[in-house]
Amino acid sequence: MLNKKFFINEFQELARQKLPKMYYDYFKGGAEDQYSLDENIKGFQRIMLRPRVLLDVKNINMSTNLLGYDLHSPIIVAPTGSHKLAHPEGEIATARAAASCNSIMVLSFSSTCTLEEVASSCNAIRFFQLYVYRRRDVTESIVKRAERSGFKAIVLTVDTPRLGRREADIKNKMIIPKVANYELLSVDINSKDGSNLEAFADETFDPSLSWKDIQWLKSITALPILLKGVLTGEDARKAVEAGVSGIIVSNHGARQLDYSPAPISVVEEVVQAVSEAIPVLLDGGVRRGTDVFKALALGAKAVMIGRPVVFGLAAQGGNGVRKVIEMLNGELELTMALAGCSTVKEITRSHVQTLGGRLRSSL
């Protein structure tokens, strides 16, 4: 089976076959009715491509630059937690696979490997995902550890004042492993009524986090800060005013507020709001190279992939992660060639037609 060539969407079924139901549901599921979970993918499917022809696409260059770092392609690994639930090597296997593809990995706050273990596993560019905790000394401590370990940016997740209602985890009484990087958080996260992730979040996350706290975070680190979880132009403009270095358009993989919009449906609004002041990335629903192309055409600088990476890890370890990234890169390269773009800079708004555009053209 390991020698068979899989397509990206098949890794999910392989993961389902290998993982205990509780863990598979944890990685796969979204919040409440899971409407937004479906929309994250369907939003891409409603966008059509407008290929151009008779253009020289003999040589395709997918490279891009993010925050001064040169990347092989605009595909980076999103922060997803508890990788040891998917594979014994956990985030170390994921980090090595991302490094082999010259892709940035954003290490989750809920990593089952420590910052130091991941940093020493391979030489690569990595960012660290941060939540701000009620105990600010814990937040400051982990930021300093990320700096010492060579992480190049902080990805502050801002859409989680409380944990979304993830009903599959509640029904399964999901038990997450100990968060490796937060020894100072001596919290009893046992729960009789639901998942212990929910109990952990309720006890530790700071629901009072607000825009003024961005300045506090900037005061304790020289690392660039990207805000993950922005879905409106209004908040995008506030992010620019706050002096952050980038925005990640995301609905948390549809695991927070159900019926929030699919990131691909609002990324253009966010891009227009920031007026090229800072880069805008997209996270959520990317399953194909055509999805990456569509996000770039609507103004995203890069995209993040989450669940496909975890499913690849569960199916075939680090080799599965590498295959997922390579497949997406290969699909993006083919899409660019067939659409008439030899570089990512040539991908423009004219290469896609959204549902609104189709409706207007039919009037």
Side-chain angles (χ1 to χ4, degrees), residues 83-361:
H83 283 201
K84 282 189 178 180
L85 297 183
H87 188 274
E89 293 181 2
E91 288 80 7
I92 288 175
T94 306
R96 288 172 174 165
S100 72
C101 299
N102 191 24
S103 176
I104 291 177
M105 173 188 178
V106 183
L107 183 67
S108 170
F109 94 101
S110 57
S111 169
T112 43
C113 299
T114 66
L115 284 158
E116 292 79 9
E117 289 170 337
V118 174
S120 63
S121 67
C122 55
N123 184 25
I125 302 165
R126 274 180 292 272
F127 297 169
F128 180 70
Q129 180 211 21
L130 179 74
Y131 286 80
V132 173
Y133 297 91
R134 296 174 190 264
R135 287 186 55 184
R136 296 302 172 89
D137 62 317
V138 173
T139 304
E140 184 168 358
S141 173
I142 198 68
V143 168
K144 297 301 182 186
R145 283 175 61 187
E147 288 180 334
R148 291 195 298 270
S149 297
F151 286 76
K152 301 303 183 184
I154 298 295
V155 174
L156 177 65
T157 297
V158 294
D159 58 7
T160 315
R162 293 174 60 181
L163 200 70
R165 185 176 176 82
R166 303 168 191 179
E167 294 180 355
D169 292 346
I170 296 170
K171 291 176 181 177
N172 291 334
K173 295 188 180 294
M174 174 65 194
I175 304 299
I176 60 165
K178 182 178 179 181
V179 179
N181 293 297
Y182 292 91
E183 299 87 350
L184 293 175
L185 288 175
S186 54
V187 176
D188 180 5
I189 56 173
N190 294 320
S191 175
K192 296 179 181 179
D193 300 320
S195 73
N196 69 344
L197 176 60
E198 186 177 25
F200 175 84
D202 287 345
E203 289 293 324
T204 59
F205 291 179
D206 186 354
S208 72
L209 184 70
S210 65
W211 287 103
K212 62 180 175 57
D213 295 303
I214 303 300
Q215 300 309 313
W216 169 78
L217 183 57
K218 290 177 66 176
S219 75
I220 66 169
T221 182
L223 294 177
I225 298 167
L226 296 88
L227 296 192
K228 180 176 180 289
V230 173
L231 289 170
T232 66
E234 296 94 323
D235 282 343
R237 284 186 284 271
K238 286 187 176 182
V240 172
E241 292 169 3
V244 301
S245 298
I247 288 172
I248 300 168
V249 179
S250 171
N251 64 8
H252 210 108
R255 294 160 74 85
Q256 279 299 103
L257 179 63
D258 201 12
Y259 297 92
S260 61
I264 190 63
S265 71
V266 296
V267 67
E268 188 171 27
E269 173 188 338
V270 172
V271 168
Q272 291 174 351
V274 304
S275 301
E276 300 185 350
I278 53 177
V280 174
L281 288 72
L282 178 140
D283 166 61
V286 174
R287 299 292 185 273
R288 284 284 192 180
T290 48
D291 296 339
V292 180
F293 185 96
K294 291 171 184 179
L296 299 178
L298 292 174
K301 183 71 172 178
V303 303
M304 289 181 162
I305 51 172
R307 286 184 177 91
V309 164
V310 175
F311 293 145
L313 180 67
Q316 296 183 3
N319 192 42
V321 175
R322 180 180 55 78
K323 286 181 180 179
V324 165
I325 298 172
E326 288 178 346
M327 286 179 189
L328 281 172
N329 280 332
E331 289 182 4
L332 174 60
E333 182 179 27
L334 178 60
T335 302
M336 290 174 61
L338 295 177
C341 300
S342 59
T343 69
V344 294
K345 289 183 179 180
E346 293 176 7
I347 303 172
T348 68
R349 183 61 173 83
S350 68
H351 287 100
V352 293
Q353 186 178 44
T354 59
L355 179 60
R358 295 202 299 277
L359 291 173
R360 284 191 295 272
S361 65

